[in-house]
Amino acid sequence: MPALWDAGRADAPATHVLIVGIGAYAHQIDGGKAPHAEPLSTNARSALAVLDWVFEAHAESHFDPPLGGVYAAVSDPKMGTDPVEVETPDGTKTLPLPTIDALRDLVTPWWMALNRNEGNAALGYFCGHGSANQTSFLLSEDYGSAPL
C-alpha cells in the first residue's frame, strides 16, 4: 500500500510517520462479540488530530529530518465500515480501514522507507485496543473475524 503522502525524499534522510486509529471494530458493528474490542469513540478523532498536526508541522518545517512519508489507517464507529477521507498537501485522500491485511500492507512500506537511509527517523502513533498477557499485541479493526 503506498504512502498516504510521500515527499519523494527516497535518497535523503527523512521522517516517516505511521498513524493508526481504530475506533470501530467490525465484529462489534455487525453485532458480533469479539472480546476486548468495544467501539472507542475518540480514537479516530485522536488519530486524525495527530495526522493534521503532522501536516501542519511539515508546512512549518518543524521536522528534522524533513517529513518524507505519511502512512495512515483509521476506522470511526460513527462511519461504520465506510472509509474516512482526509486532506493532505496533495488533496483529499481516502484512508484504508485498519484491518490486519491493510495494516500489514501499510507497515511494510513504512518499514522499508525507514530503512532506506540511516539518517531516517520514525514516528509511530497507535490508538486502539491491545492486549498484554505473556505477549503484548495491538488489535486490528477486524479482530475476531477469524476463528484463530
Side-chain angles (χ1 to χ4, degrees):
M1 182 174 303
L4 172 66
W5 182 83
D6 189 334
R9 299 182 50 85
D11 297 328
T15 300
H16 296 278
V17 178
L18 174 66
I19 298 171
V20 178
I22 307 175
Y25 287 85
H27 274 8
Q28 292 298 332
I29 292 171
D30 295 335
K33 300 297 180 207
H36 313 295
E38 294 297 320
L40 300 166
S41 62
T42 60
N43 289 21
R45 199 169 43 223
S46 175
L48 294 172
V50 171
L51 184 61
D52 287 344
W53 173 83
V54 165
F55 287 132
E56 288 171 16
H58 165 66
E60 297 171 5
S61 301
H62 289 304
F63 283 103
D64 185 20
L67 189 61
V70 178
Y71 302 78
V74 173
S75 68
D76 186 344
K78 293 178 185 170
M79 303 279 293
T81 56
D82 293 332
V84 175
E85 290 190 340
V86 297
E87 291 299 320
T88 75
D90 296 333
T92 302
K93 303 273 181 90
T94 301
L95 297 178
L97 293 173
T99 63
I100 191 64
D101 289 335
L103 291 174
R104 188 177 298 113
D105 292 345
L106 196 68
V107 170
T108 299
W110 174 73
W111 185 257
M112 291 172 64
L114 283 173
N115 287 290
R116 280 195 301 248
N117 189 300
E118 67 181 33
N120 283 349
L123 171 62
Y125 178 84
F126 178 87
C127 192
H129 283 297
S131 183
N133 292 317
Q134 292 177 334
T135 304
S136 298
F137 55 92
L138 306 173
L139 303 181
S140 63
E141 183 267 349
D142 56 346
Y143 168 72
S145 64
L148 298 177

